[in-house]
Structures are given as C-alpha cells and as structure tokens.
Amino acid sequence: MVLIDFLVKNIFNQVSVLIGLVTLIGLLLQKKSFEDTISGTIKAMVGILIMLAGTDVFIAGLVSFQTIVSSAFHISAPVAKNTLQNFTNNFGSIAVSIMALGFLIHLIIVRLFNTKFVYLTGHLMWWISLVITASLLEVFPNINQGTLILTGAILIALYWTFQPVYLHKYMRKVTNSDEIGYGHTSSIAAYLAGRFGHLFGRPEESTEKVNIPKKIEFMKDITVGTAFIITIIMLVASFFAEREVVLKQAGDLNFVIWAIIQGFKFAAGITILLYGVRLFLAEIVPAFRGISQKLIPGAKPALDVPVVFPYAPTAVLIGFISSTLVFLLFMIIFGLTGFATIVPSMIMLFFPAAGAAVFGNAVGGWKGAVFGGAINGLFLAFGQALTWPMLSNTAPELAVLADPDWYIIMWLIIGIGKLIKLVF
C-alpha cells in the first residue's frame, strides 16, 4: 500500500511526471541521442506544466463565474448527508488500489488484444476510481474489500481500454491523423456530437472558416473573442447577482473592473493552455512510437481533452456558451417545477462541452459545435438531478463534479447491481 500510494501521488496524479516518464521511455527505446532524449523529455513536461498553468488561470475565473451566476439565479447547492471528504477518508485507499491494479490490467489488455490506446489522463484515473468505488458501495455496502478492489479494477481497466477505441473514428475526423486517442470522461458527449453533428450542418461551415460581419471580425481571434464574450457575460451576471456576493468576489476593486479582468484572465488562460498543448504534443507523439515499436505494438497515447482544442479553438468557446445556456435553462425549469436543485459547475460546463463542440464542428460545422455543447449541458443538468439521490450513502458531490461519462458509469453499475441483487 505504501508503494501504491507513492506511485499514485507522485506519478499518476502528477500528469507532467507521467508524461515525462512516457516520453523518456519512448525516446530511450528508440535509442535517441542523449541531447534529444533530454530535450524531448523536458519539453514534454514543460508543455504539460504550461497547459496546467493556463488551466489554473481560467479555472479561477470559472469559479468566480460560477459564484456570480449562482447568485444571479439565487441557486445554492443541496445539502449532502455524506460528504466527498468523508468518503475519501474512509475509502480513499480502496480507490487508490483500484486505480493501480486497474492500470496494470489495462496495459495487459492493450498488449494482449492490441486495442491500441494507452490511457494517460492521470487525474481522471483517480476520479473514475472514486466514481466506481462509490457506485459499487451504494449497491453492495457490505462487499468484501478484496472483491471490491478486484471488481473495481476490472471495470476501470475496461473503461480505459475501450473508451478511446469507440470514439476514434471521430477523433480521426478532428485531427486528420491516427497518432493520438481521446482519453477523457466526456467521451459520450463527444461521440454523440460526432455521430449526429452532420444532421445540423456541414464540415465546410467550420467555426474557423465561418464568415462574420467585418465590424465583429475581431471575434475570430480566439483570445480576443474569448475575452470579449466572457467579459460581457460576467458584467451582465454581476448586475443581477446579490451585491454582497459581487463585492466579496471583487474585493478592493470596482466590480466592473473586476469583471473585465476576470474575462481577460479567462482568455489568457485559454491562450496559455493552447500553447502548452502544442508543445507537449510535438514531443509525446514521436516519443510514443518507441513504446509502440518495442513494448506495446501499435499503441498510441489517449490524452486529455485539451489536445483537441487547437484543431478548432473557436468551437471551444461556442461549446462552452451553448453548454452553459442549456444548463441554465434546465436549472430554471427544474427549480420552477420543484423537480431538482442543480448547480452550474463551470469547469464541467467548459471542458467536456469544448471537446464535444470540436467533435461536432468536425462533422457539422458551427451548428455541430453548438449541438455538441448543448449535449453536454443536457447531460450535466439531468445527470446532476438524477444522480445526486443515487449517491446519498456515499459521496453525492460526485454528481455535481461529474463529466458525462461519470453518469453513464454510475447508472450502469448501480442499475446492473440492483438487478443482480434482485435475481440473487
């Protein structure tokens, strides 16, 4: 357990270290020169760290955005009987064991059955292990610890193995290559956008080519367009939010100046993130060929959702806006009807929606991108409303922090588990 805990904390949960090790091993297996090996490894790690730095910058803006929007709509999260913190304190070691054993099983499956993709999105490995642990315990609260770990490891290994596979047909349309896979828990939204996006438009109407009036042509620049749109949304939301909430967020600044800065920070974060993605992709893809040639024949890396952002950066922004508007619409409907209280989780409204929008854009242009974002908003709205009570005995906050695939996994495990209990 000490060794497993060390590996999880210092390698799997440190994405830069994981990618750095993979790059180093790949370059060594290709017998690259010392200077090329050192240079490639460092650039891959620095690229990841730049990407994460950009992510941190605009996540801070997303958190503020979420606070203001929730206040503007007078929404507060439902109170949980059990908390995620208590759950991780009690079952975190089991989730860690599931994650470590599951990755080993995943590598064995890829090697034996040539399923091609090695899942390398480290932080999501941890979250999915928690999701599976909580789901199994909801149905089988008295399950033996060893059985829980083995069952969870098999389930998580199967997910990591087949998630990039079933989506890869549409990943090729996005990247126009076969070099990388999509390893992210928004795959079901991305798949639906790729599968049905063509019903709404044509790929020739790409978000990156669409003609817009000359006076707002500046919006085609992703940095400028993001700063402009997010700033407007922040300003409007600030006017409708409770004054005390806005003043607390703004601190010593005038709230208008604060809102403008938040919008610009969001744009800066996106720009930094895109640069980091390009830097580490330029190193990890050729380096992984060494692993593909020597250790796991034909293997390719399945990587985090930002890897698709550079292929259609305008679609990223469109997906976020579409996803947020759809979620807010259902938040109002659910509140008025008394069906459920749901909370806009801006990080989940951004990343999965952005990925789905890029896939939708690849087959249906800008209308496909709108469709992709809307799918994510629907998943998060109904997923949060339906899944919160399902996790009442473990960690209901997982329903708020969820990407679309989380809901599918939880519904399948809990639903099939209940059927098994009925039969046996």
Side-chain angles (χ1 to χ4, degrees), residues 278-292:
R278 293 188 182 101
L279 183 61
F280 97 82
L281 274 183
E283 303 302 328
I284 187 67
V285 170
F288 206 85
R289 293 191 187 115
I291 293 173
S292 175

Side-chain angles (χ1 to χ4, degrees), residues 152-292:
I154 292 171
L155 291 174
I156 206 169
L158 291 173
Y159 173 74
W160 290 336
T161 302
F162 294 110
Q163 181 265 292
V165 173
Y166 89 94
L167 187 60
H168 196 59
K169 173 183 176 181
Y170 302 106
M171 184 65 170
R172 282 198 297 264
K173 291 182 182 293
V174 169
T175 63
N176 292 314
S177 75
D178 204 33
E179 296 289 345
I180 57 173
Y182 188 83
H184 193 263
T185 49
S186 60
S187 70
I188 185 61
Y191 174 82
L192 292 173
R195 176 66 181 83
F196 298 108
H198 70 280
L199 299 176
F200 299 88
R202 299 175 299 157
E204 293 80 13
E205 301 170 330
S206 169
T207 55
E208 313 312 304
K209 298 177 182 177
V210 66
N211 292 320
I212 58 176
K214 195 166 184 65
K215 287 187 177 181
I216 58 170
E217 204 169 40
F218 64 88
M219 298 281 285
K220 293 186 74 172
D221 183 296
I222 185 62
T223 302
V224 177
T226 300
F228 183 81
I229 291 173
I230 297 300
T231 298
I232 296 298
I233 295 173
M234 286 290 286
L235 284 169
V236 171
S238 296
F239 277 107
F240 287 97
E242 297 174 27
R243 183 172 177 79
E244 295 78 13
V245 174
V246 176
L247 292 176
K248 184 177 179 180
Q249 291 292 314
D252 295 331
L253 293 175
N254 176 274
F255 81 94
V256 174
I257 301 300
W258 171 80
I260 293 172
I261 291 173
Q262 296 308 306
F264 282 41
K265 276 185 177 180
F266 192 102
I270 290 288
T271 305
I272 296 167
L273 181 150
L274 291 174
Y275 175 76
V277 169
R278 293 188 182 101
L279 183 61
F280 97 82
L281 274 183
E283 303 302 328
I284 187 67
V285 170
F288 206 85
R289 293 191 187 115
I291 293 173
S292 175

Side-chain angles (χ1 to χ4, degrees), residues 366-379:
W366 69 269
K367 295 176 184 176
V370 172
F371 173 65
I375 288 173
N376 184 67
L378 280 170
F379 257 110

Side-chain angles (χ1 to χ4, degrees), residues 402-421:
D403 291 335
D405 288 8
W406 297 26
Y407 296 124
I408 300 296
I409 291 169
M410 288 185 281
W411 295 341
L412 285 174
I413 292 176
I414 294 174
I416 293 172
K418 287 182 177 179
L419 284 176
I420 291 172
K421 289 182 76 174

